[in-house]
Amino acid sequence: TLFTSHPIPNYNCHKIAENLNSDYGAKGHLRRLIWTQFRLGNIHHQLHSDLLFSPIPEAPLFSRSRYVVTVHDLIPLRFGKPFSRLTTYFRYYIPQVLHQAEHIICNSESTKQEVMSYFGINSQKITSTLLAYDRDHFRNLNLPEENYFLYIGRHDRHKNLHRLIEAFSTLSHHQNCKLYLAGPADDRYTPDLKVLVNELGMEQRVKFLDYIPYADLPALINQAIALVFPSLWEGFGLPALEAMACGTPVISSNLSALPEVTGDAALLIDPYDVKAITDAMQAVADSSQLRTKMRAAGLERAKLFSWDRTGKATAEILTRYI
């Protein structure tokens, strides 16, 4: 987004080419970076813009453009492979963007602290602004509860699904209970998870649902015993917020931004402790009274988040630099 303090004559929308995204793999990312460096800066100056706002940590480095960027997480630095393209991108390109930025917006205090720690950036240059959710979409539908725990997200290693599966396999007194893993399969990680499920003899109880259409998510969340989200690190943790908004109990990691999102409305666990995950699932499954309490707490917690509030906070930051 480009901002200016004076009218722009003959303004036109500059559409981004279709092939500049992750759907085209590494080539799509590379084309986007090249476009950002050599085309975006030109557009910025042609429009006599005062400020560029990028909702991702990318901006033209050599065009003297003034910009504000958003950082969502630094997970590729924390869990990435040493010589991967993504780790290199975060290690060498992102720091240059952030040091040249007028200001940095992070979507949690946890991410802000990471940016300060990894890149030595002063706290006064960073503002944490929490995200929100679609209130018309994710809400309590008053549907009957069904006998399954739910995870929503990718299958990356830091999502900690191997420990979740192990924890679920030791759940006692609930042999009819299922664990649904909703999220796209990944050839790098999903096969190993399926091998683990088979080794534990859980083929009939652990279900890989693959990608769930956006329209179908609210009902799936509403009917779960609980959302279990034992991620080792999150920049925010949108599935936890959406589950609370649906009135579904949440079991969540006690690390990174997740406590900022859930507050006291979730059962927070050490994601490295398999028994702790099992105990939390056991407690929720065993007690309808606890589930009722957690539903009420989650619904109240979710009310604190709104896109209107996030938008106003972002606009206030941008106004300082126009």
Side-chain angles (χ1 to χ4, degrees):
T1 305
L2 297 168
F3 296 92
T4 181
S5 57
H6 55 272
I8 300 175
N10 302 319
Y11 174 78
N12 291 308
C13 177
H14 292 263
K15 293 184 178 180
I16 298 175
E18 181 183 322
N19 63 355
L20 304 182
N21 61 59
S22 58
D23 291 343
Y24 293 84
K27 290 183 179 179
H29 285 297
L30 179 59
R31 283 192 290 259
R32 187 188 68 252
L33 286 173
I34 293 172
W35 181 89
T36 299
Q37 296 309 308
F38 300 104
R39 183 75 185 106
L40 182 56
N42 290 336
I43 294 172
H44 178 91
H45 292 299
Q46 288 168 10
L47 295 177
H48 304 290
S49 172
D50 293 332
L51 186 71
L52 166 68
F53 171 52
S54 175
I56 58 176
E58 294 183 2
L61 293 176
F62 310 109
S63 68
R64 294 181 295 176
S65 299
R66 298 176 63 250
Y67 55 83
V68 173
V69 297
T70 300
V71 180
H72 299 279
D73 63 67
L74 299 181
I75 287 172
L77 291 180
R78 185 175 288 274
F79 297 102
K81 297 178 181 179
F83 301 106
S84 75
R85 287 188 292 262
L86 189 58
T87 302
T88 301
Y89 164 85
F90 269 81
R91 185 167 292 161
Y92 298 105
Y93 174 67
I94 298 297
Q96 293 301 317
V97 170
L98 299 187
H99 280 288
Q100 289 185 204
E102 297 288 320
H103 200 79
I104 301 162
I105 299 173
C106 293
N107 55 14
S108 65
E109 185 65 24
S110 172
T111 299
K112 175 180 176 178
Q113 295 299 321
E114 276 203 300
V115 169
M116 292 166 57
S117 174
Y118 274 97
F119 303 131
I121 295 176
N122 192 291
S123 64
Q124 294 181 343
K125 190 178 177 177
I126 312 171
T127 300
S128 60
T129 303
L130 293 173
L131 303 181
Y133 66 100
D134 184 346
R135 291 187 172 192
D136 293 329
H137 194 67
F138 294 98
R139 54 193 174 85
N140 191 335
L141 301 176
N142 294 312
L143 296 174
E145 181 183 271
E146 294 192 6
N147 201 21
Y148 62 85
F149 287 97
L150 176 66
Y151 163 83
I152 299 174
R154 301 190 307 274
H155 295 175
D156 302 52
R157 290 198 187 281
H158 75 273
K159 296 295 186 178
N160 206 28
L161 296 187
H162 60 293
R163 289 190 180 92
L164 171 57
I165 292 167
E166 290 173 8
F168 179 74
S169 72
T170 62
L171 198 65
S172 61
H173 313 304
H174 296 281
Q175 296 307 309
N176 295 323
C177 184
K178 291 181 170 56
L179 172 63
Y180 290 168
L181 305 177
D186 189 318
D187 291 340
R188 298 169 298 175
Y189 310 118
T190 308
D192 289 341
L193 295 174
K194 290 185 175 181
V195 167
L196 176 61
V197 168
N198 292 336
E199 288 176 347
L200 294 171
M202 303 293 289
E203 302 94 326
Q204 300 305 312
R205 296 180 59 199
V206 178
K207 302 297 181 182
F208 290 84
L209 302 184
D210 210 335
Y211 172 78
I212 302 296
Y214 186 72
D216 298 337
L217 279 174
L220 182 69
I221 295 171
N222 265 263
Q223 294 187 277
I225 296 172
L227 177 88
V228 191
F229 202 65
S231 178
L232 301 179
W233 208 264
E234 294 292 323
F236 182 74
L238 199 54
L241 175 57
E242 291 169 346
M244 292 190 299
C246 290
T248 299
V250 173
I251 299 169
S252 178
S253 167
N254 62 3
L255 300 177
S256 64
L258 288 166
E260 293 180 58
V261 175
T262 62
D264 296 328
L267 291 183
L268 298 180
I269 49 87
D270 176 356
Y272 291 95
D273 186 342
V274 172
K275 185 177 184 301
I277 301 172
T278 301
D279 290 346
M281 296 171 77
Q282 191 79 56
V284 172
D286 285 348
S287 176
S288 60
Q289 184 177 3
L290 175 60
R291 295 197 298 276
T292 298
K293 179 181 177 181
M294 292 179 69
R295 286 191 190 100
L299 289 168
E300 284 301 310
R301 179 70 182 176
K303 291 178 183 178
L304 301 177
F305 298 81
S306 76
W307 283 122
D308 182 62
R309 182 176 300 167
T310 303
K312 287 179 178 177
T314 303
E316 288 175 4
I317 296 166
L318 298 177
T319 301
R320 293 184 220 159
Y321 298 96
I322 295 175

